[in-house]
Amino acid sequence: MASGRSSSLCSIWVIVLLVGFTGSSSAQLSTNFYSKSCPKVFDAVKSVVQSAVNKEKRMGASLLRLHFHDCFVNGCDGSILLDDTSSFTGEKTARPNNNSVRGFEVVDNIKSQVEKTCPGVVSCADILAIAARDSVKILGGPSWNVKLGRRDSKTASLAAANSGVIPPPTSTLSQLKTRFQAVGLNERDLVALSGAHTIGQARCTSFRARIYNETNIDASFAKARQSKCPSTVGSGDNNLAPLDVQTPNTFDTAYFKNLINQKGLLHSDQILYNNGGSTDSLVKTYSGSANTFNSDFAKAMIKMGDNKPLTGSNGEIRLNCRRPN
């Protein structure tokens, strides 16, 4: 009798474990998700990203930023890619994105290439994650094994994108920490991911207040920026300046060295190194160790990519990244 009961209990536990395992695995991302269904996906994405970055170095930063802005609004679900229609307003015209995020045509080209390789298999959200990794690698940064298996949202949220979840350039350190914590990222992740500003450019509207009003800024640096960004709002608003004045097209540690020298372009950059703040030591560490920065950046990117993905039967695999099926 005891033996029979023990056997029954074992069977029950096996069933529970199997059900639990199946349930959890279906909701998890995997580095080998397309190993059988689309083994050439990485080659297809990389060829288009390489071509786009060769044509315009800035595009690497733009593709990386698309992944950031996608993941911070309701998770990494490709929602940022959806175009507005007569009955739907997506996230492209939200304050953090309007006249700012770019690279959509490159994503279209990637999707087209991937569809030729394996039709209807790879999500647009996963394409963003792979393209971000490839962009960093091509510009001299670290590589990492991208976790995949995301599905695409059928909708987007202008309200969510406008709600402040994407940290604005005026953010205080406390606000940055809160916004990053909201998507499961800690202080170390915050500083490492901010290092993405070692590439790319920003519009005058994003740094005007800093170069004219703030005191924790190198005087010659501020003067140089002022020559391309007039103090009058509405004048030269879209004029661009490199986020990293030293090596704007190379993924390196110069961004952190700039902060130590009070040459951070955005307020939200310089606030990471500001006379005894809690993140000062991390900035110093990264400025002196490319290996530590690269390692922490890669880990933080993987962590960010885990933010509320749609998996299993949720969402869909969009055939066109700009619209639901």
Side-chain angles (χ1 to χ4, degrees), residues 83-106:
D83 280 344
D84 294 354
T85 67
S86 57
S87 59
F88 166 80
T89 304
E91 297 166 13
K92 290 182 176 179
T93 55
R95 284 186 297 274
N97 299 332
N98 196 33
N99 296 320
S100 180
V101 289
R102 58 197 295 273
F104 298 108
E105 294 79 10
V106 176

Side-chain angles (χ1 to χ4, degrees), residues 133-155:
R133 187 275 308 272
D134 289 350
S135 295
V136 170
K137 179 65 175 174
I138 289 167
L139 292 175
S143 185
W144 57 91
N145 293 323
V146 183
K147 291 167 68 175
L148 302 166
R150 302 169 190 82
R151 288 167 65 86
D152 297 318
S153 170
K154 298 178 183 180
T155 186

Side-chain angles (χ1 to χ4, degrees), residues 203-222:
R203 294 186 302 149
C204 170
T205 52
S206 299
F207 59 84
R208 177 182 281 124
R210 169 155 167 75
I211 62 174
Y212 285 102
N213 302 330
E214 297 187 8
T215 56
N216 61 338
I217 186 168
D218 178 84
S220 60
F221 173 74

Side-chain angles (χ1 to χ4, degrees), residues 161-173:
N162 272 330
S163 68
V165 291
I166 299 172
T170 54
S171 297
T172 65
L173 183 56

Side-chain angles (χ1 to χ4, degrees), residues 33-34 38 41 45 49 63-64 66-71 75-83 92 103-115 118-133 146-155 305 309-310 314-325:
F33 187 83
Y34 296 114
C38 190
V41 62
V45 175
V49 174
L63 292 173
L64 176 58
L66 273 178
H67 185 42
F68 276 114
H69 282 223
D70 182 40
C71 287
C76 311
D77 60 2
S79 59
I80 195 171
L81 302 174
L82 291 172
D83 280 344
K92 290 182 176 179
F104 298 108
E105 294 79 10
V106 176
V107 175
D108 293 339
N109 293 338
I110 297 171
K111 180 63 172 174
S112 177
Q113 190 63 39
V114 170
E115 285 298 302
C118 36
V121 173
V122 180
S123 69
C124 299
D126 277 349
I127 283 173
L128 287 182
I130 300 170
R133 187 275 308 272
V146 183
K147 291 167 68 175
L148 302 166
R150 302 169 190 82
R151 288 167 65 86
D152 297 318
S153 170
K154 298 178 183 180
T155 186
L310 297 173
N314 295 316
E316 63 183 7
I317 304 298
R318 269 185 237 144
L319 302 179
N320 182 326
C321 291
R322 293 177 179 265
R323 60 175 182 264
N325 295 341

